[in-house]
Amino acid sequence: MTVLILLAKIFIMIGFLMTMAVLLTWVERKQSALMQDRIGANRADIFGFRMLGLFHPLADAIKLLTKEDFIPPSGDRFLHTLAPWIAFTTALAAFAVIPFGPPVHLFGREITLQVADPPIGILFVFVITGLSIYGVVLAGWASGNRYGLLGALRGAAQTISYEVSMGLSVIGLLMVFGSLSPAAISEAQGGLLFGVFPRWGILVQPIGFLIFFTAAIAETKRIPFDLPEGESEIIGFFVEYSGMKFGMMWLGEFVEIVVMSGLIAVLFFGGWQVPYLTPAGFLFPGGGSIALPEGIVLGLQIGAFLGKVVFFCWFQMLVRWTLPRFRYDQLMRLGWKVLLPLSLLNILVTGMVLLTWGA
Amino acid sequence: MKKDRISQKRLNFPERLYLAEILRGLWITGKHFFRNFLMHIGRALGVVKKRRGAVTIQYPEECRPIPAGYRARHRLLRREDGSPKCVACMMCPTICPANCIHIRAAESPDPTIEKYPVEFRINLDRCVMCGFCVEACPVDAIRMDTGVVEMSASDREEFVTVLDFLLDSKPAKNPV
Ligand code: SF4
Ligand code: SF4
């Protein structure tokens, strides 16, 4: 039974991620179009129905599946095939520890709404995103293409640099909430700050959030940090990829966006917490309260989590279509000379504040 | 000292922090996003009529208006009785910089008219749309007012317009 439940959870999770990723390819097109006063892709139609261009992901899939899968003669067949799988699965796996909602009691069992809740959950996310570098490096190396290799090197350097600041930026948060488990962190954010504000990570650790968000965009390798890819100008690590292997790299990137949004929601925006919503219903600081049945509370909480994820996907797209790309030295300077000292300072200040006033 | 022609504004400290500037940029793009988003919804619901959410012209369905005097594909005019107005004076092939008009003249059955064209071909593949032929014509027999700008074919031969086709072409309905 436990295994069945686990399998069901994995199934739902992968389904959710894939759906979101596929939808994001559509959102990317439409949102950028709206931001630039255009209309965006709307030509793919089935029997004359266009559905605002929602069939374009389908058309993409058909195109990618029927394209020739080319492996350059100077490349390594095995690694070339392996790399997109690494990139894709690591992106998917990181979502395993992110809780969708509070534990549910069903038929006398407690079901957590996440695939796994290891006590070192946050560490697991960093480990997995760390592994995703292999996808990039192997893709560049196995292509047997110098541009690909250079892109992979840029990718590796960038991912390693920003992983450091990313890891350090959440330490302050972990100190405040005293746990490494995403479920426990979500749970802890239900409290109130000064009895008024929800005790969300963004309010406790605003600097931590800024660093984390910047590093998260760098991790997803998107503008302004898209040096590893730079499709049209500086040529990235997957230049020698075609067909569905390219599709996996591409989809993996969108999955990463969803994962990062989930992570930001869990760490800094209360995860599934709705402000002032307790298991019994709303309880406002002024004294008012609305009692709600358990089912509705649960629905609201899961809805809140999904809403936060969707919002941050949207926000990352907004950033991507607003900013220009960093130059390589600017990227490194920002990572090592600004974000890293800032995150260390953040830990120091958090520690001092915690020591002085207590948690 | 000669002044540098490109003057670069030095960023002040808050600008060099980027953060506020990034937020400003996001604000601008976000404003566009929401304005266009609402506009599209408004148009779909029929609330917004005049303004549009995008500058895009959905080409095959919508076309840009073609101004009067725009040099589009040629046509030949007819007389009252339907015969071609052209007197085969060879002015237009002579002036044509692309050398793409080919005329074969014959004696006209009408005693008041000297010649008429039995063959009149314009090779649009070579035509540069300069309009000199229209200017040169002494009898106003050729014009470029059909408003047809979409000329595509799968075969080079199809670009050669012949006499009957040119005579049957209609002027554009209502040029702006
Ligand atoms: S428009 Fe110019 S190039 Fe074309 S047929 Fe007339 S004279 Fe020749
Ligand atoms: S210039 Fe006019 S009249 Fe002369 S050949 Fe050309 S179309 Fe005919």
Side-chain angles (χ1 to χ4, degrees), chain B residues 71-72 74 92-93 95-101 122-124 126-134 142 144:
Chain B
R71 297 195 296 272
H74 315 67
C92 51
I95 194 127
C96 177
N99 224 345
C100 65
I101 306 180
I122 301 177
N123 187 349
L124 291 174
R126 297 180 61 176
C127 173
V128 295
M129 297 290 166
C130 63
F132 285 179
C133 48
V134 181
I142 187 165
M144 295 179 80

Side-chain angles (χ1 to χ4, degrees), chain B residues 76 86-93 103 120 133 136-139 141-142:
Chain B
L76 287 176
C86 171
V87 291
C89 70
M90 299 293 170
M91 289 287 201
C92 51
I103 300 173
F120 196 115
C133 48
C137 183
V139 293
I142 187 165

Side-chain angles (χ1 to χ4, degrees), chain A residues 34 37 39 42-43 314 322, chain B residues 29 32-33 36 55 58 61:
Chain A
L34 282 181
D37 296 349
I39 286 190
N42 65 352
R43 291 285 146 171
W314 175 83
T322 302
Chain B
T29 46
H32 273 259
F33 175 81
N36 293 335
V55 294
Q58 300 266 311
E61 293 99 33

Side-chain angles (χ1 to χ4, degrees), chain B:
Chain B
M1 206 178 95
K2 220 174 92 197
K3 242 195 155 176
D4 207 342
R5 259 213 254 147
I6 302 163
S7 67
Q8 241 179 359
K9 197 175 138 251
R10 280 188 68 89
L11 300 179
N12 55 24
F13 183 69
E15 278 171 346
R16 257 185 298 142
L17 274 184
Y18 296 130
L19 200 63
E21 298 296 301
I22 286 176
L23 286 180
R24 225 166 57 146
L26 291 177
W27 169 247
I28 290 171
T29 46
K31 227 165 45 184
H32 273 259
F33 175 81
F34 282 111
R35 200 202 56 208
N36 293 335
F37 192 61
L38 293 177
M39 213 89 94
H40 280 302
I41 292 176
R43 278 177 76 85
L45 296 178
V47 191
V48 183
K49 292 250 161 56
K50 286 216 196 78
R51 299 180 61 191
R52 16 198 312 158
V55 294
T56 316
I57 291 172
Q58 300 266 311
Y59 164 58
E61 293 99 33
E62 277 179 274
C63 290
R64 296 192 67 128
I66 291 174
Y70 187 90
R71 297 195 296 272
R73 200 173 65 198
H74 315 67
R75 75 186 174 103
L76 287 176
L77 279 74
R78 292 178 191 268
R79 292 170 208 278
E80 304 276 274
D81 62 356
S83 60
K85 218 169 170 183
C86 171
V87 291
C89 70
M90 299 293 170
M91 289 287 201
C92 51
T94 310
I95 194 127
C96 177
N99 224 345
C100 65
I101 306 180
H102 171 84
I103 300 173
R104 194 153 60 81
E107 202 165 326
S108 171
D110 188 338
T112 58
I113 302 164
E114 203 177 333
K115 291 190 290 180
Y116 82 104
V118 263
E119 237 183 80
F120 196 115
R121 290 202 309 258
I122 301 177
N123 187 349
L124 291 174
D125 241 358
R126 297 180 61 176
C127 173
V128 295
M129 297 290 166
C130 63
F132 285 179
C133 48
V134 181
E135 303 284 327
C137 183
V139 293
D140 187 22
I142 187 165
R143 286 190 194 167
M144 295 179 80
D145 59 357
T146 50
V148 180
V149 289
E150 296 143 330
M151 282 169 267
S152 66
S154 46
D155 194 327
R156 287 192 180 182
E157 298 301 310
E158 290 173 44
F159 281 109
V160 181
T161 47
V162 293
L163 181 63
D164 289 332
F165 179 82
L166 288 165
L167 282 170
D168 289 338
S169 297
K170 296 275 175 297
K173 287 265 164 41
N174 35 12
V176 201

Side-chain angles (χ1 to χ4, degrees), chain A residues 160-184:
Chain A
I160 290 171
S161 315
Y162 279 75
E163 204 131 273
V164 178
S165 327
M166 195 177 183
L168 289 176
S169 69
V170 289
I171 295 219
L173 194 85
L174 304 180
M175 280 154 69
V176 173
F177 292 123
S179 170
L180 265 169
S181 141

